[in-house]
Amino acid sequence: FPSHDTGMLVGGGGGGSGHGQSGGAGGYSEKRIDTSSWANGTTVSVTIGADGGGAHSNNAGGQGGTTSFGSYCSATGGRGANSDWSHCGGHGGVGSGGDINLRGGGASGHDNRGGRGGASFFGGSKFSGWPNHHFSHQHEGHVPPGAGGCGEHVNHSRGAQGARGICIIYSYK
């Protein structure tokens, strides 16, 4: 029987802002790879997409990083809040090179109660901090991989950072 690896990966989520805008989720890619011809000790470089940092006021949130499994497949990170237009949520990242490639969820734009970050293949982000200041970034670590950061609802708050990407490899014969 031939050996196979299946790589599933998602890019990092974009960061939210402190003025209600949220970050987009990382893209998703999945690929089945025939590894029967690989020599013993073959290695593949894996890069995990960083989270996009949250921003104060209506500044732009950070861009999520790209996750890749060698040259086989990759997924770009979600865009940060306000990174394309003012008062706009971030667009989702895009998967490429895989047998399945999906776009990450886009995020909500300006909302007086704070916006919800984009959902990744692995799930959505937490709700914004309204009516509690700083709730989003105090709980930003409790979200699935690749989810976009929520926005806060007041200018002096910081939006949540996005979640880091992930790469899951299954090997089977």
Side-chain angles (χ1 to χ4, degrees):
F1 295 101
S3 297
H4 291 90
D5 283 348
T6 297
M8 299 170 43
L9 49 90
V10 67
S17 78
H19 195 61
Q21 300 85 4
S22 301
Y28 174 84
S29 185
E30 180 176 327
K31 183 166 184 78
R32 185 171 183 223
I33 303 161
D34 179 359
T35 59
S36 61
S37 64
W38 287 8
N40 285 340
T42 297
T43 61
V44 176
S45 177
V46 174
T47 302
I48 304 298
D51 50 54
H56 285 86
S57 190
N58 60 349
N59 293 315
Q63 167 92 8
T66 297
T67 299
S68 62
F69 181 65
S71 61
Y72 294 101
C73 58
S74 65
T76 60
R79 303 275 299 163
N82 295 313
S83 59
D84 292 310
W85 297 279
S86 182
H87 300 289
C88 168
H91 297 282
V94 179
S96 64
D99 300 317
I100 299 172
N101 299 297
L102 303 173
R103 180 177 288 278
S108 60
H110 182 76
D111 184 333
N112 289 334
R113 296 182 186 155
R116 188 167 185 182
S120 77
F121 177 82
F122 295 103
S125 66
K126 288 203 171 281
F127 285 106
S128 63
W130 188 85
N132 301 314
H133 300 291
H134 309 293
F135 178 85
S136 289
H137 76 266
Q138 289 171 348
H139 294 74
E140 61 199 2
H142 304 277
V143 296
C150 293
E152 287 287 354
H153 76 288
V154 290
N155 276 333
H156 61 277
S157 294
R158 177 179 68 82
Q161 69 187 35
R164 289 180 53 88
I166 192 169
C167 180
I168 302 170
I169 306 298
Y170 293 99
S171 292
Y172 54 92
K173 289 188 177 200

